[in-house]
Amino acid sequence: MGVSGSGKTTTGEALAAALGWRFFDGDDFHPAANVAKMAAGTPLTDDDRWPWLDSIAMEMRNILASDGAAVFACSALKADYRSRLQSAGDVRLVHLNGDAATIGARLARRAHRYMPASLLSSQFATLETPLDAVVIDIREPVPTQIQRICDALALRQEKTKDVPGRS
């Protein structure tokens, strides 16, 4: 979890690869109306987010019901959002934490398919720092982030090659 530009997709994909799990990007669960709103530079409201979060939680439930495991990247900026996701079952949180200057510089270098950099301030304004998450400094290299996450959550890495950022 974290604000846009914190590295949720990059770190999430690398973590999933290291664990041999599937990866899901929360962006793929947004309904078209949410995507259009964000593309227009309009922040989402809680009412916009509830169906999106429910879709992610449903996918989590389905995976857990089949004794599976996966990594999900999702902003989950508020405690209520995280509670909604955690209602799915064994959901553990990792907060990719960074300051506005570092993340703003990242956003300036990338083109997201619908999330403009202009919404970053609204994301930081919405962010309620989690008390129950593993906190990872986004300035660390991705392999270091993956190792810290695995250590903190007592997860054993299945694969050590083909992980982005590893040599």
Side-chain angles (χ1 to χ4, degrees):
M1 62 144 302
V3 299
S4 181
S6 61
K8 295 181 301 291
T9 301
T10 300
T11 301
E13 287 176 339
L15 178 62
L19 297 171
W21 295 359
R22 292 173 55 198
F23 173 77
F24 293 87
D25 193 324
D27 288 347
D28 297 335
F29 291 81
H30 274 296
N34 284 8
V35 172
K37 205 170 182 181
M38 288 183 285
T42 305
L44 298 179
T45 66
D46 285 352
D47 287 338
D48 296 324
R49 286 186 177 99
W50 297 130
W52 168 64
L53 292 164
D54 289 341
S55 297
I56 295 169
M58 179 60 73
E59 185 66 32
M60 290 175 169
R61 275 187 207 90
N62 291 340
I63 290 166
L64 291 168
S66 65
D67 292 324
V71 174
F72 283 79
C74 175
S75 54
L77 299 175
K78 289 185 178 181
D80 286 346
Y81 305 165
R82 295 186 293 272
S83 293
R84 195 92 161 220
L85 295 172
Q86 289 176 310
S87 73
D90 183 16
V91 175
R92 300 180 220 172
L93 299 172
V94 174
H95 178 204
L96 298 180
N97 188 39
D99 61 82
T102 301
I103 294 172
R106 285 182 175 190
L107 290 177
R109 292 189 306 266
R110 76 165 201 193
H112 190 274
R113 61 185 190 247
Y114 60 76
M115 183 70 172
S118 62
L119 290 179
L120 181 60
S121 61
S122 73
Q123 291 231 316
F124 272 107
T126 302
L127 177 63
E128 296 172 0
T129 303
L131 303 175
D132 60 345
V134 172
V135 179
I136 300 296
D137 185 337
I138 65 164
R139 295 171 299 178
E140 294 184 316
V142 172
T144 302
Q145 292 179 36
I146 301 311
Q147 189 60 57
R148 291 189 192 282
I149 293 166
C150 289
D151 290 349
L153 297 176
L155 298 171
R156 194 175 117 256
Q157 296 184 44
E158 297 286 326
K159 297 167 78 175
T160 56
K161 59 183 178 179
D162 301 328
V163 176
R166 286 205 179 182
S167 43

